Amino acid sequence: NGMYDQGMATMALTEAYGLSRDPALREPLQRAVDFIVKAQNKNDGGWRYKPGDGGDTSVFGWQVMALSSAQALGINVPDETFDKARLWLKRVSGGKNKGLFGYTGSTPTATMTAEGMFCSQLLGVEQADTRMLESAEFIGRTKLDENGSPFFYYVYYSTLSLYHHHGDTWNVWNRLLKENLLQSQIK
């Protein structure tokens, strides 16, 4: 699926390089990162299915995760790429404190808020920031499941963002997540 695949494959390469420090992986990882950087929409700061497309938060998240992980390993990622990524989050933010996020606009959904929250954390927004408090509160009052079974895309980003947020919202989420996942397990 285009840039989804690019982001996820780059994440896998980042993990492999991070765990092994195999020098043979460094150049392919840098090339994968360079592709993501070049594919970013220069006007809105997002990514979508094809390089240069106007963004959507769903595809955006995988690119930000891959770039953040790569940068932490010493791979070159231009600061301008992260600056433009912050513009995307601003574009799709809503709510009283701009801590709720939408898919391509500011109409919030639980999944996009969880993904936007995690990306905001990766881009340096602190736990006590009012945007993060609004995100955590919104996620914390959203159901874990859809039609009686966990909606794993939402669960994935909510768990990442709330874990990094810590506090009471994380403790409640973690308890409910464990209960819900165990109940939905096929035995």
Side-chain angles (χ1 to χ4, degrees), residues 140-176:
R141 62 183 156 84
T142 303
K143 288 175 40 175
L144 291 169
D145 61 11
E146 192 174 80
N147 301 323
S149 63
F151 181 48
F152 289 109
Y153 192 60
Y154 170 65
V155 168
Y156 176 74
Y157 276 109
S158 295
T159 302
L160 283 171
S161 60
L162 293 178
Y163 174 78
H164 287 282
H165 188 71
H166 307 297
D168 291 338
T169 307
W170 162 249
N171 293 331
V172 170
W173 174 267
N174 191 33
R175 181 180 49 76
L176 291 173

PDB file of all heavy atoms in Angstrom, residues 140-176:
ATOM      1  N   GLY A 140      -8.968   7.838  26.948  1.00  0.00           N
ATOM      2  CA  GLY A 140      -9.357   7.123  28.150  1.00  0.00           C
ATOM      3  C   GLY A 140     -10.844   6.864  28.274  1.00  0.00           C
ATOM      4  O   GLY A 140     -11.264   5.939  28.963  1.00  0.00           O
ATOM      5  N   ARG A 141     -11.664   7.663  27.593  1.00  0.00           N
ATOM      6  CA  ARG A 141     -13.115   7.444  27.673  1.00  0.00           C
ATOM      7  C   ARG A 141     -13.682   6.789  26.420  1.00  0.00           C
ATOM      8  O   ARG A 141     -14.889   6.709  26.238  1.00  0.00           O
ATOM      9  CB  ARG A 141     -13.847   8.727  28.011  1.00  0.00           C
ATOM     10  CG  ARG A 141     -13.749   9.848  27.050  1.00  0.00           C
ATOM     11  CD  ARG A 141     -14.479  11.096  27.594  1.00  0.00           C
ATOM     12  NE  ARG A 141     -13.977  12.305  27.008  1.00  0.00           N
ATOM     13  CZ  ARG A 141     -14.361  12.805  25.841  1.00  0.00           C
ATOM     14  NH1 ARG A 141     -15.281  12.194  25.144  1.00  0.00           N
ATOM     15  NH2 ARG A 141     -13.844  13.923  25.384  1.00  0.00           N
ATOM     16  N   THR A 142     -12.804   6.292  25.549  1.00  0.00           N
ATOM     17  CA  THR A 142     -13.245   5.610  24.332  1.00  0.00           C
ATOM     18  C   THR A 142     -13.150   4.103  24.540  1.00  0.00           C
ATOM     19  O   THR A 142     -12.185   3.611  25.108  1.00  0.00           O
ATOM     20  CB  THR A 142     -12.363   6.035  23.139  1.00  0.00           C
ATOM     21  OG1 THR A 142     -12.430   7.464  23.016  1.00  0.00           O
ATOM     22  CG2 THR A 142     -12.838   5.405  21.857  1.00  0.00           C
ATOM     23  N   LYS A 143     -14.129   3.380  24.052  1.00  0.00           N
ATOM     24  CA  LYS A 143     -14.139   1.926  24.194  1.00  0.00           C
ATOM     25  C   LYS A 143     -12.949   1.286  23.484  1.00  0.00           C
ATOM     26  O   LYS A 143     -12.492   1.773  22.457  1.00  0.00           O
ATOM     27  CB  LYS A 143     -15.440   1.355  23.616  1.00  0.00           C
ATOM     28  CG  LYS A 143     -16.654   1.640  24.462  1.00  0.00           C
ATOM     29  CD  LYS A 143     -17.948   1.190  23.824  1.00  0.00           C
ATOM     30  CE  LYS A 143     -17.865  -0.120  23.122  1.00  0.00           C
ATOM     31  NZ  LYS A 143     -19.135  -0.626  22.603  1.00  0.00           N
ATOM     32  N   LEU A 144     -12.486   0.184  24.036  1.00  0.00           N
ATOM     33  CA  LEU A 144     -11.366  -0.558  23.457  1.00  0.00           C
ATOM     34  C   LEU A 144     -11.761  -1.379  22.241  1.00  0.00           C
ATOM     35  O   LEU A 144     -10.907  -1.806  21.483  1.00  0.00           O
ATOM     36  CB  LEU A 144     -10.812  -1.555  24.486  1.00  0.00           C
ATOM     37  CG  LEU A 144     -10.086  -1.003  25.689  1.00  0.00           C
ATOM     38  CD1 LEU A 144      -9.858  -2.119  26.689  1.00  0.00           C
ATOM     39  CD2 LEU A 144      -8.781  -0.408  25.256  1.00  0.00           C
ATOM     40  N   ASP A 145     -13.044  -1.631  22.098  1.00  0.00           N
ATOM     41  CA  ASP A 145     -13.437  -2.590  21.070  1.00  0.00           C
ATOM     42  C   ASP A 145     -14.447  -2.008  20.095  1.00  0.00           C
ATOM     43  O   ASP A 145     -14.982  -0.929  20.294  1.00  0.00           O
ATOM     44  CB  ASP A 145     -13.990  -3.857  21.697  1.00  0.00           C
ATOM     45  CG  ASP A 145     -15.233  -3.606  22.537  1.00  0.00           C
ATOM     46  OD1 ASP A 145     -15.809  -2.498  22.480  1.00  0.00           O
ATOM     47  OD2 ASP A 145     -15.641  -4.521  23.263  1.00  0.00           O
ATOM     48  N   GLU A 146     -14.637  -2.754  19.054  1.00  0.00           N
ATOM     49  CA  GLU A 146     -15.618  -2.412  18.034  1.00  0.00           C
ATOM     50  C   GLU A 146     -16.407  -3.695  17.787  1.00  0.00           C
ATOM     51  O   GLU A 146     -15.833  -4.713  17.423  1.00  0.00           O
ATOM     52  CB  GLU A 146     -14.861  -1.975  16.781  1.00  0.00           C
ATOM     53  CG  GLU A 146     -15.694  -1.316  15.727  1.00  0.00           C
ATOM     54  CD  GLU A 146     -14.817  -0.792  14.609  1.00  0.00           C
ATOM     55  OE1 GLU A 146     -14.412  -1.599  13.760  1.00  0.00           O
ATOM     56  OE2 GLU A 146     -14.534   0.412  14.599  1.00  0.00           O
ATOM     57  N   ASN A 147     -17.691  -3.667  18.056  1.00  0.00           N
ATOM     58  CA  ASN A 147     -18.547  -4.849  17.890  1.00  0.00           C
ATOM     59  C   ASN A 147     -18.088  -6.046  18.719  1.00  0.00           C
ATOM     60  O   ASN A 147     -18.102  -7.178  18.263  1.00  0.00           O
ATOM     61  CB  ASN A 147     -18.644  -5.249  16.407  1.00  0.00           C
ATOM     62  CG  ASN A 147     -19.207  -4.141  15.556  1.00  0.00           C
ATOM     63  OD1 ASN A 147     -20.101  -3.425  15.996  1.00  0.00           O
ATOM     64  ND2 ASN A 147     -18.686  -3.993  14.362  1.00  0.00           N
ATOM     65  N   GLY A 148     -17.610  -5.786  19.929  1.00  0.00           N
ATOM     66  CA  GLY A 148     -17.256  -6.863  20.845  1.00  0.00           C
ATOM     67  C   GLY A 148     -15.855  -7.422  20.694  1.00  0.00           C
ATOM     68  O   GLY A 148     -15.462  -8.294  21.451  1.00  0.00           O
ATOM     69  N   SER A 149     -15.080  -6.957  19.721  1.00  0.00           N
ATOM     70  CA  SER A 149     -13.700  -7.435  19.610  1.00  0.00           C
ATOM     71  C   SER A 149     -12.762  -6.236  19.509  1.00  0.00           C
ATOM     72  O   SER A 149     -13.146  -5.181  18.997  1.00  0.00           O
ATOM     73  CB  SER A 149     -13.534  -8.355  18.391  1.00  0.00           C
ATOM     74  OG  SER A 149     -13.795  -7.640  17.210  1.00  0.00           O
ATOM     75  N   PRO A 150     -11.549  -6.387  19.986  1.00  0.00           N
ATOM     76  CA  PRO A 150     -10.626  -5.243  19.993  1.00  0.00           C
ATOM     77  C   PRO A 150     -10.356  -4.720  18.579  1.00  0.00           C
ATOM     78  O   PRO A 150     -10.200  -5.494  17.639  1.00  0.00           O
ATOM     79  CB  PRO A 150      -9.348  -5.827  20.599  1.00  0.00           C
ATOM     80  CG  PRO A 150      -9.762  -7.062  21.302  1.00  0.00           C
ATOM     81  CD  PRO A 150     -10.964  -7.575  20.570  1.00  0.00           C
ATOM     82  N   PHE A 151     -10.356  -3.410  18.456  1.00  0.00           N
ATOM     83  CA  PHE A 151      -9.989  -2.753  17.211  1.00  0.00           C
ATOM     84  C   PHE A 151      -8.489  -2.492  17.320  1.00  0.00           C
ATOM     85  O   PHE A 151      -8.054  -1.538  17.950  1.00  0.00           O
ATOM     86  CB  PHE A 151     -10.796  -1.472  17.034  1.00  0.00           C
ATOM     87  CG  PHE A 151     -10.499  -0.739  15.758  1.00  0.00           C
ATOM     88  CD1 PHE A 151     -10.460  -1.405  14.543  1.00  0.00           C
ATOM     89  CD2 PHE A 151     -10.269   0.620  15.778  1.00  0.00           C
ATOM     90  CE1 PHE A 151     -10.188  -0.722  13.364  1.00  0.00           C
ATOM     91  CE2 PHE A 151      -9.994   1.302  14.602  1.00  0.00           C
ATOM     92  CZ  PHE A 151      -9.951   0.627  13.399  1.00  0.00           C
ATOM     93  N   PHE A 152      -7.699  -3.388  16.741  1.00  0.00           N
ATOM     94  CA  PHE A 152      -6.274  -3.427  17.032  1.00  0.00           C
ATOM     95  C   PHE A 152      -5.492  -2.204  16.585  1.00  0.00           C
ATOM     96  O   PHE A 152      -4.509  -1.845  17.216  1.00  0.00           O
ATOM     97  CB  PHE A 152      -5.644  -4.711  16.487  1.00  0.00           C
ATOM     98  CG  PHE A 152      -6.074  -5.915  17.264  1.00  0.00           C
ATOM     99  CD1 PHE A 152      -6.938  -6.846  16.710  1.00  0.00           C
ATOM    100  CD2 PHE A 152      -5.654  -6.099  18.571  1.00  0.00           C
ATOM    101  CE1 PHE A 152      -7.356  -7.942  17.445  1.00  0.00           C
ATOM    102  CE2 PHE A 152      -6.066  -7.186  19.313  1.00  0.00           C
ATOM    103  CZ  PHE A 152      -6.916  -8.116  18.748  1.00  0.00           C
ATOM    104  N   TYR A 153      -5.898  -1.533  15.530  1.00  0.00           N
ATOM    105  CA  TYR A 153      -5.193  -0.331  15.100  1.00  0.00           C
ATOM    106  C   TYR A 153      -5.309   0.745  16.182  1.00  0.00           C
ATOM    107  O   TYR A 153      -4.336   1.408  16.528  1.00  0.00           O
ATOM    108  CB  TYR A 153      -5.771   0.146  13.763  1.00  0.00           C
ATOM    109  CG  TYR A 153      -4.960   1.208  13.068  1.00  0.00           C
ATOM    110  CD1 TYR A 153      -3.643   0.987  12.679  1.00  0.00           C
ATOM    111  CD2 TYR A 153      -5.522   2.445  12.766  1.00  0.00           C
ATOM    112  CE1 TYR A 153      -2.913   1.959  12.025  1.00  0.00           C
ATOM    113  CE2 TYR A 153      -4.802   3.413  12.100  1.00  0.00           C
ATOM    114  CZ  TYR A 153      -3.497   3.173  11.741  1.00  0.00           C
ATOM    115  OH  TYR A 153      -2.771   4.131  11.099  1.00  0.00           O
ATOM    116  N   TYR A 154      -6.498   0.897  16.712  1.00  0.00           N
ATOM    117  CA  TYR A 154      -6.733   1.837  17.813  1.00  0.00           C
ATOM    118  C   TYR A 154      -5.991   1.396  19.072  1.00  0.00           C
ATOM    119  O   TYR A 154      -5.323   2.193  19.733  1.00  0.00           O
ATOM    120  CB  TYR A 154      -8.229   1.956  18.075  1.00  0.00           C
ATOM    121  CG  TYR A 154      -8.568   2.707  19.334  1.00  0.00           C
ATOM    122  CD1 TYR A 154      -8.256   4.050  19.465  1.00  0.00           C
ATOM    123  CD2 TYR A 154      -9.192   2.072  20.400  1.00  0.00           C
ATOM    124  CE1 TYR A 154      -8.558   4.744  20.627  1.00  0.00           C
ATOM    125  CE2 TYR A 154      -9.501   2.753  21.557  1.00  0.00           C
ATOM    126  CZ  TYR A 154      -9.176   4.098  21.669  1.00  0.00           C
ATOM    127  OH  TYR A 154      -9.470   4.781  22.817  1.00  0.00           O
ATOM    128  N   VAL A 155      -6.078   0.121  19.392  1.00  0.00           N
ATOM    129  CA  VAL A 155      -5.413  -0.412  20.580  1.00  0.00           C
ATOM    130  C   VAL A 155      -3.900  -0.196  20.495  1.00  0.00           C
ATOM    131  O   VAL A 155      -3.260   0.184  21.478  1.00  0.00           O
ATOM    132  CB  VAL A 155      -5.754  -1.914  20.779  1.00  0.00           C
ATOM    133  CG1 VAL A 155      -4.861  -2.569  21.810  1.00  0.00           C
ATOM    134  CG2 VAL A 155      -7.223  -2.060  21.171  1.00  0.00           C
ATOM    135  N   TYR A 156      -3.323  -0.414  19.319  1.00  0.00           N
ATOM    136  CA  TYR A 156      -1.883  -0.246  19.121  1.00  0.00           C
ATOM    137  C   TYR A 156      -1.433   1.176  19.468  1.00  0.00           C
ATOM    138  O   TYR A 156      -0.551   1.374  20.308  1.00  0.00           O
ATOM    139  CB  TYR A 156      -1.533  -0.587  17.667  1.00  0.00           C
ATOM    140  CG  TYR A 156      -0.089  -0.362  17.297  1.00  0.00           C
ATOM    141  CD1 TYR A 156       0.901  -1.227  17.743  1.00  0.00           C
ATOM    142  CD2 TYR A 156       0.290   0.715  16.509  1.00  0.00           C
ATOM    143  CE1 TYR A 156       2.239  -1.030  17.402  1.00  0.00           C
ATOM    144  CE2 TYR A 156       1.617   0.925  16.166  1.00  0.00           C
ATOM    145  CZ  TYR A 156       2.587   0.054  16.610  1.00  0.00           C
ATOM    146  OH  TYR A 156       3.894   0.264  16.290  1.00  0.00           O
ATOM    147  N   TYR A 157      -2.038   2.162  18.823  1.00  0.00           N
ATOM    148  CA  TYR A 157      -1.609   3.542  19.054  1.00  0.00           C
ATOM    149  C   TYR A 157      -2.019   4.060  20.428  1.00  0.00           C
ATOM    150  O   TYR A 157      -1.287   4.847  21.042  1.00  0.00           O
ATOM    151  CB  TYR A 157      -2.127   4.463  17.945  1.00  0.00           C
ATOM    152  CG  TYR A 157      -1.226   4.447  16.738  1.00  0.00           C
ATOM    153  CD1 TYR A 157      -1.620   3.841  15.559  1.00  0.00           C
ATOM    154  CD2 TYR A 157       0.045   5.014  16.790  1.00  0.00           C
ATOM    155  CE1 TYR A 157      -0.782   3.820  14.455  1.00  0.00           C
ATOM    156  CE2 TYR A 157       0.885   4.992  15.692  1.00  0.00           C
ATOM    157  CZ  TYR A 157       0.466   4.398  14.532  1.00  0.00           C
ATOM    158  OH  TYR A 157       1.298   4.374  13.445  1.00  0.00           O
ATOM    159  N   SER A 158      -3.166   3.633  20.931  1.00  0.00           N
ATOM    160  CA  SER A 158      -3.576   4.063  22.270  1.00  0.00           C
ATOM    161  C   SER A 158      -2.619   3.541  23.327  1.00  0.00           C
ATOM    162  O   SER A 158      -2.246   4.253  24.256  1.00  0.00           O
ATOM    163  CB  SER A 158      -4.993   3.580  22.572  1.00  0.00           C
ATOM    164  OG  SER A 158      -5.902   4.194  21.703  1.00  0.00           O
ATOM    165  N   THR A 159      -2.207   2.301  23.179  1.00  0.00           N
ATOM    166  CA  THR A 159      -1.277   1.710  24.141  1.00  0.00           C
ATOM    167  C   THR A 159       0.073   2.420  24.097  1.00  0.00           C
ATOM    168  O   THR A 159       0.639   2.750  25.142  1.00  0.00           O
ATOM    169  CB  THR A 159      -1.133   0.197  23.889  1.00  0.00           C
ATOM    170  OG1 THR A 159      -2.442  -0.402  23.982  1.00  0.00           O
ATOM    171  CG2 THR A 159      -0.212  -0.450  24.901  1.00  0.00           C
ATOM    172  N   LEU A 160       0.579   2.684  22.900  1.00  0.00           N
ATOM    173  CA  LEU A 160       1.849   3.420  22.778  1.00  0.00           C
ATOM    174  C   LEU A 160       1.750   4.806  23.422  1.00  0.00           C
ATOM    175  O   LEU A 160       2.609   5.189  24.218  1.00  0.00           O
ATOM    176  CB  LEU A 160       2.237   3.585  21.306  1.00  0.00           C
ATOM    177  CG  LEU A 160       2.816   2.393  20.587  1.00  0.00           C
ATOM    178  CD1 LEU A 160       2.938   2.685  19.092  1.00  0.00           C
ATOM    179  CD2 LEU A 160       4.176   2.023  21.160  1.00  0.00           C
ATOM    180  N   SER A 161       0.714   5.547  23.060  1.00  0.00           N
ATOM    181  CA  SER A 161       0.621   6.926  23.536  1.00  0.00           C
ATOM    182  C   SER A 161       0.355   6.999  25.034  1.00  0.00           C
ATOM    183  O   SER A 161       0.981   7.804  25.740  1.00  0.00           O
ATOM    184  CB  SER A 161      -0.449   7.701  22.761  1.00  0.00           C
ATOM    185  OG  SER A 161      -1.716   7.116  22.906  1.00  0.00           O
ATOM    186  N   LEU A 162      -0.540   6.168  25.546  1.00  0.00           N
ATOM    187  CA  LEU A 162      -0.838   6.220  26.978  1.00  0.00           C
ATOM    188  C   LEU A 162       0.301   5.677  27.824  1.00  0.00           C
ATOM    189  O   LEU A 162       0.549   6.167  28.923  1.00  0.00           O
ATOM    190  CB  LEU A 162      -2.150   5.495  27.277  1.00  0.00           C
ATOM    191  CG  LEU A 162      -3.398   6.165  26.698  1.00  0.00           C
ATOM    192  CD1 LEU A 162      -4.634   5.338  27.018  1.00  0.00           C
ATOM    193  CD2 LEU A 162      -3.549   7.601  27.188  1.00  0.00           C
ATOM    194  N   TYR A 163       1.014   4.677  27.337  1.00  0.00           N
ATOM    195  CA  TYR A 163       2.186   4.180  28.064  1.00  0.00           C
ATOM    196  C   TYR A 163       3.214   5.305  28.236  1.00  0.00           C
ATOM    197  O   TYR A 163       3.744   5.515  29.328  1.00  0.00           O
ATOM    198  CB  TYR A 163       2.810   2.989  27.351  1.00  0.00           C
ATOM    199  CG  TYR A 163       4.112   2.554  27.999  1.00  0.00           C
ATOM    200  CD1 TYR A 163       4.095   1.799  29.172  1.00  0.00           C
ATOM    201  CD2 TYR A 163       5.339   2.931  27.473  1.00  0.00           C
ATOM    202  CE1 TYR A 163       5.277   1.418  29.794  1.00  0.00           C
ATOM    203  CE2 TYR A 163       6.529   2.556  28.085  1.00  0.00           C
ATOM    204  CZ  TYR A 163       6.493   1.801  29.245  1.00  0.00           C
ATOM    205  OH  TYR A 163       7.662   1.438  29.858  1.00  0.00           O
ATOM    206  N   HIS A 164       3.468   6.033  27.174  1.00  0.00           N
ATOM    207  CA  HIS A 164       4.442   7.128  27.248  1.00  0.00           C
ATOM    208  C   HIS A 164       3.908   8.311  28.046  1.00  0.00           C
ATOM    209  O   HIS A 164       4.686   9.101  28.568  1.00  0.00           O
ATOM    210  CB  HIS A 164       4.863   7.572  25.844  1.00  0.00           C
ATOM    211  CG  HIS A 164       5.750   6.577  25.185  1.00  0.00           C
ATOM    212  ND1 HIS A 164       7.094   6.461  25.482  1.00  0.00           N
ATOM    213  CD2 HIS A 164       5.492   5.627  24.266  1.00  0.00           C
ATOM    214  CE1 HIS A 164       7.617   5.481  24.760  1.00  0.00           C
ATOM    215  NE2 HIS A 164       6.666   4.952  24.021  1.00  0.00           N
ATOM    216  N   HIS A 165       2.598   8.410  28.150  1.00  0.00           N
ATOM    217  CA  HIS A 165       1.977   9.488  28.922  1.00  0.00           C
ATOM    218  C   HIS A 165       2.023   9.184  30.432  1.00  0.00           C
ATOM    219  O   HIS A 165       2.095  10.094  31.236  1.00  0.00           O
ATOM    220  CB  HIS A 165       0.528   9.693  28.467  1.00  0.00           C
ATOM    221  CG  HIS A 165      -0.128  10.874  29.066  1.00  0.00           C
ATOM    222  ND1 HIS A 165       0.200  12.168  28.732  1.00  0.00           N
ATOM    223  CD2 HIS A 165      -1.107  10.966  29.997  1.00  0.00           C
ATOM    224  CE1 HIS A 165      -0.536  13.002  29.426  1.00  0.00           C
ATOM    225  NE2 HIS A 165      -1.343  12.303  30.204  1.00  0.00           N
ATOM    226  N   HIS A 166       1.935   7.914  30.785  1.00  0.00           N
ATOM    227  CA  HIS A 166       1.945   7.445  32.182  1.00  0.00           C
ATOM    228  C   HIS A 166       0.682   7.876  32.922  1.00  0.00           C
ATOM    229  O   HIS A 166      -0.296   8.229  32.317  1.00  0.00           O
ATOM    230  CB  HIS A 166       3.201   7.921  32.925  1.00  0.00           C
ATOM    231  CG  HIS A 166       4.484   7.605  32.243  1.00  0.00           C
ATOM    232  ND1 HIS A 166       4.910   6.319  32.017  1.00  0.00           N
ATOM    233  CD2 HIS A 166       5.433   8.423  31.703  1.00  0.00           C
ATOM    234  CE1 HIS A 166       6.073   6.347  31.394  1.00  0.00           C
ATOM    235  NE2 HIS A 166       6.417   7.608  31.186  1.00  0.00           N
ATOM    236  N   GLY A 167       0.711   7.815  34.220  1.00  0.00           N
ATOM    237  CA  GLY A 167      -0.362   8.314  35.060  1.00  0.00           C
ATOM    238  C   GLY A 167      -1.575   7.414  35.154  1.00  0.00           C
ATOM    239  O   GLY A 167      -1.576   6.259  34.737  1.00  0.00           O
ATOM    240  N   ASP A 168      -2.631   7.992  35.729  1.00  0.00           N
ATOM    241  CA  ASP A 168      -3.860   7.254  35.993  1.00  0.00           C
ATOM    242  C   ASP A 168      -4.515   6.730  34.721  1.00  0.00           C
ATOM    243  O   ASP A 168      -5.042   5.614  34.707  1.00  0.00           O
ATOM    244  CB  ASP A 168      -4.863   8.127  36.754  1.00  0.00           C
ATOM    245  CG  ASP A 168      -4.412   8.426  38.171  1.00  0.00           C
ATOM    246  OD1 ASP A 168      -3.578   7.661  38.707  1.00  0.00           O
ATOM    247  OD2 ASP A 168      -4.886   9.430  38.740  1.00  0.00           O
ATOM    248  N   THR A 169      -4.495   7.532  33.660  1.00  0.00           N
ATOM    249  CA  THR A 169      -5.128   7.087  32.416  1.00  0.00           C
ATOM    250  C   THR A 169      -4.453   5.823  31.901  1.00  0.00           C
ATOM    251  O   THR A 169      -5.120   4.891  31.451  1.00  0.00           O
ATOM    252  CB  THR A 169      -5.080   8.198  31.348  1.00  0.00           C
ATOM    253  OG1 THR A 169      -5.634   9.391  31.905  1.00  0.00           O
ATOM    254  CG2 THR A 169      -5.890   7.817  30.126  1.00  0.00           C
ATOM    255  N   TRP A 170      -3.113   5.774  31.983  1.00  0.00           N
ATOM    256  CA  TRP A 170      -2.391   4.571  31.563  1.00  0.00           C
ATOM    257  C   TRP A 170      -2.768   3.383  32.443  1.00  0.00           C
ATOM    258  O   TRP A 170      -3.016   2.285  31.949  1.00  0.00           O
ATOM    259  CB  TRP A 170      -0.878   4.770  31.588  1.00  0.00           C
ATOM    260  CG  TRP A 170      -0.160   3.448  31.577  1.00  0.00           C
ATOM    261  CD1 TRP A 170       0.562   2.882  32.587  1.00  0.00           C
ATOM    262  CD2 TRP A 170      -0.139   2.481  30.509  1.00  0.00           C
ATOM    263  NE1 TRP A 170       1.029   1.635  32.225  1.00  0.00           N
ATOM    264  CE2 TRP A 170       0.612   1.370  30.949  1.00  0.00           C
ATOM    265  CE3 TRP A 170      -0.688   2.442  29.238  1.00  0.00           C
ATOM    266  CZ2 TRP A 170       0.824   0.243  30.157  1.00  0.00           C
ATOM    267  CZ3 TRP A 170      -0.465   1.323  28.453  1.00  0.00           C
ATOM    268  CH2 TRP A 170       0.284   0.247  28.912  1.00  0.00           C
ATOM    269  N   ASN A 171      -2.823   3.569  33.748  1.00  0.00           N
ATOM    270  CA  ASN A 171      -3.126   2.461  34.662  1.00  0.00           C
ATOM    271  C   ASN A 171      -4.500   1.863  34.374  1.00  0.00           C
ATOM    272  O   ASN A 171      -4.656   0.641  34.332  1.00  0.00           O
ATOM    273  CB  ASN A 171      -3.028   2.932  36.116  1.00  0.00           C
ATOM    274  CG  ASN A 171      -1.607   3.277  36.496  1.00  0.00           C
ATOM    275  OD1 ASN A 171      -0.640   2.720  35.956  1.00  0.00           O
ATOM    276  ND2 ASN A 171      -1.447   4.226  37.404  1.00  0.00           N
ATOM    277  N   VAL A 172      -5.493   2.714  34.161  1.00  0.00           N
ATOM    278  CA  VAL A 172      -6.842   2.235  33.850  1.00  0.00           C
ATOM    279  C   VAL A 172      -6.839   1.539  32.492  1.00  0.00           C
ATOM    280  O   VAL A 172      -7.387   0.444  32.329  1.00  0.00           O
ATOM    281  CB  VAL A 172      -7.859   3.399  33.881  1.00  0.00           C
ATOM    282  CG1 VAL A 172      -9.206   2.972  33.319  1.00  0.00           C
ATOM    283  CG2 VAL A 172      -8.009   3.935  35.296  1.00  0.00           C
ATOM    284  N   TRP A 173      -6.217   2.178  31.489  1.00  0.00           N
ATOM    285  CA  TRP A 173      -6.145   1.605  30.141  1.00  0.00           C
ATOM    286  C   TRP A 173      -5.496   0.221  30.177  1.00  0.00           C
ATOM    287  O   TRP A 173      -6.001  -0.723  29.582  1.00  0.00           O
ATOM    288  CB  TRP A 173      -5.369   2.532  29.215  1.00  0.00           C
ATOM    289  CG  TRP A 173      -5.146   1.937  27.864  1.00  0.00           C
ATOM    290  CD1 TRP A 173      -4.072   1.214  27.447  1.00  0.00           C
ATOM    291  CD2 TRP A 173      -6.040   1.977  26.754  1.00  0.00           C
ATOM    292  NE1 TRP A 173      -4.234   0.799  26.145  1.00  0.00           N
ATOM    293  CE2 TRP A 173      -5.428   1.263  25.700  1.00  0.00           C
ATOM    294  CE3 TRP A 173      -7.287   2.557  26.550  1.00  0.00           C
ATOM    295  CZ2 TRP A 173      -6.048   1.114  24.457  1.00  0.00           C
ATOM    296  CZ3 TRP A 173      -7.887   2.403  25.311  1.00  0.00           C
ATOM    297  CH2 TRP A 173      -7.259   1.687  24.284  1.00  0.00           C
ATOM    298  N   ASN A 174      -4.377   0.115  30.838  1.00  0.00           N
ATOM    299  CA  ASN A 174      -3.624  -1.138  30.889  1.00  0.00           C
ATOM    300  C   ASN A 174      -4.454  -2.260  31.508  1.00  0.00           C
ATOM    301  O   ASN A 174      -4.486  -3.377  31.000  1.00  0.00           O
ATOM    302  CB  ASN A 174      -2.320  -0.925  31.656  1.00  0.00           C
ATOM    303  CG  ASN A 174      -1.369  -2.090  31.528  1.00  0.00           C
ATOM    304  OD1 ASN A 174      -1.310  -2.762  30.502  1.00  0.00           O
ATOM    305  ND2 ASN A 174      -0.612  -2.338  32.573  1.00  0.00           N
ATOM    306  N   ARG A 175      -5.166  -1.956  32.582  1.00  0.00           N
ATOM    307  CA  ARG A 175      -6.011  -2.957  33.229  1.00  0.00           C
ATOM    308  C   ARG A 175      -7.139  -3.393  32.293  1.00  0.00           C
ATOM    309  O   ARG A 175      -7.371  -4.588  32.080  1.00  0.00           O
ATOM    310  CB  ARG A 175      -6.588  -2.406  34.536  1.00  0.00           C
ATOM    311  CG  ARG A 175      -7.456  -3.396  35.288  1.00  0.00           C
ATOM    312  CD  ARG A 175      -8.026  -2.830  36.590  1.00  0.00           C
ATOM    313  NE  ARG A 175      -8.655  -1.527  36.463  1.00  0.00           N
ATOM    314  CZ  ARG A 175      -9.866  -1.299  35.939  1.00  0.00           C
ATOM    315  NH1 ARG A 175     -10.593  -2.311  35.479  1.00  0.00           N
ATOM    316  NH2 ARG A 175     -10.366  -0.092  35.877  1.00  0.00           N
ATOM    317  N   LEU A 176      -7.828  -2.425  31.677  1.00  0.00           N
ATOM    318  CA  LEU A 176      -8.925  -2.756  30.767  1.00  0.00           C
ATOM    319  C   LEU A 176      -8.430  -3.488  29.523  1.00  0.00           C
ATOM    320  O   LEU A 176      -9.093  -4.401  29.028  1.00  0.00           O
ATOM    321  CB  LEU A 176      -9.671  -1.486  30.356  1.00  0.00           C
ATOM    322  CG  LEU A 176     -10.486  -0.809  31.444  1.00  0.00           C
ATOM    323  CD1 LEU A 176     -11.027   0.520  30.953  1.00  0.00           C
ATOM    324  CD2 LEU A 176     -11.601  -1.709  31.937  1.00  0.00           C
TER     325      LEU A 176
END
